[in-house]
Amino acid sequence: MGIMKVPKGQHFIKQNDKITQLYLIIQGKVRQLQGKDSYLIENNNLVGLSECLEGNYQDEYIAEEDCILYPFAYEKPQDFLKIFEEQPKYAVAFLQAALRQAREILEEYEHRLATLRAWAADAGFEVLEGPYDPATWEACAGRIGDAAIAEIEQ
């Protein structure tokens, strides 16, 4: 597969598109839209890596600037083996991109937690942390999202 040029502003992946490729950003930046959140993915990172187990893209992707992407055929986790066997040098690139993205997610979580703690301290609330248990949450806060809608529709 050859490189793919994506001009600035092009919406090249839409939410719910079937995943048929992952993209290594060779040059440029891509904006990932995840609901109300927005993330900037810079070069040497992979577009679609965080969603590759889903089958469909969960987010929207727009070229933040003119981009050069290298597409990899991908539909299922076993395709990683094929990619790495055909082009072993990309095994390291994928690992580095995954580690970078994991670090960025942890940094975002730490930022959001610090913001929550500051807000709670200003408001006189205590922030309690612990393992997430859906049953405990629902017992205290009620049902939300799809579970709440399903309950109403019954």
Side-chain angles (χ1 to χ4, degrees), residues 92-139:
V92 173
F94 274 56
L95 177 60
Q96 289 173 333
L99 292 172
R100 243 188 323 276
Q101 288 174 332
R103 184 189 70 233
E104 290 167 4
I105 290 168
L106 290 172
E107 288 171 355
E108 179 67 20
Y109 170 78
E110 288 297 327
H111 169 72
R112 290 179 185 211
L113 183 58
T115 301
L116 172 65
R117 285 183 174 148
W119 175 85
D122 288 346
F125 294 114
E126 180 183 3
V127 174
L128 301 175
E129 293 182 73
Y132 175 66
D133 175 42
T136 302
W137 173 265
E138 288 182 3

Side-chain angles (χ1 to χ4, degrees), residues 12 33 40 49-50 56 66 70 73 77 101 105 117 149:
F12 68 99
L33 303 175
L40 194 60
L49 184 62
S50 62
N56 291 19
D66 289 343
Y70 189 87
Q101 288 174 332
I105 290 168
R117 285 183 174 148
I149 292 169

Side-chain angles (χ1 to χ4, degrees), residues 18-146:
K18 181 173 175 24
I19 296 175
T20 59
Q21 295 178 319
L22 301 177
Y23 302 90
L24 179 64
I25 303 172
I26 303 297
Q27 180 182 316
K29 298 176 184 175
V30 172
R31 176 74 53 191
Q32 178 180 1
L33 303 175
Q34 190 177 66
K36 294 181 181 179
D37 292 325
S38 172
Y39 304 97
L40 194 60
I41 307 172
E42 299 191 15
N43 64 332
N44 296 319
N45 280 300
L46 287 160
V47 172
L49 184 62
S50 62
E51 302 161 298
C52 66
L53 298 178
E54 303 296 329
N56 291 19
Y57 286 103
Q58 304 300 300
D59 302 327
E60 309 276 326
Y61 294 89
I62 302 169
E64 183 78 6
E65 54 191 45
D66 289 343
C67 292
I68 297 175
L69 307 177
Y70 189 87
F72 293 90
Y74 178 90
E75 292 187 13
K76 57 192 178 306
Q78 293 80 359
D79 292 339
F80 283 121
L81 292 174
K82 184 177 178 185
I83 292 168
F84 301 153
E85 286 171 357
E86 290 176 2
Q87 302 175 59
K89 66 183 178 185
Y90 288 114
V92 173
F94 274 56
L95 177 60
Q96 289 173 333
L99 292 172
R100 243 188 323 276
Q101 288 174 332
R103 184 189 70 233
E104 290 167 4
I105 290 168
L106 290 172
E107 288 171 355
E108 179 67 20
Y109 170 78
E110 288 297 327
H111 169 72
R112 290 179 185 211
L113 183 58
T115 301
L116 172 65
R117 285 183 174 148
W119 175 85
D122 288 346
F125 294 114
E126 180 183 3
V127 174
L128 301 175
E129 293 182 73
Y132 175 66
D133 175 42
T136 302
W137 173 265
E138 288 182 3
C140 295
R143 290 188 158 212
I144 60 170
D146 293 340

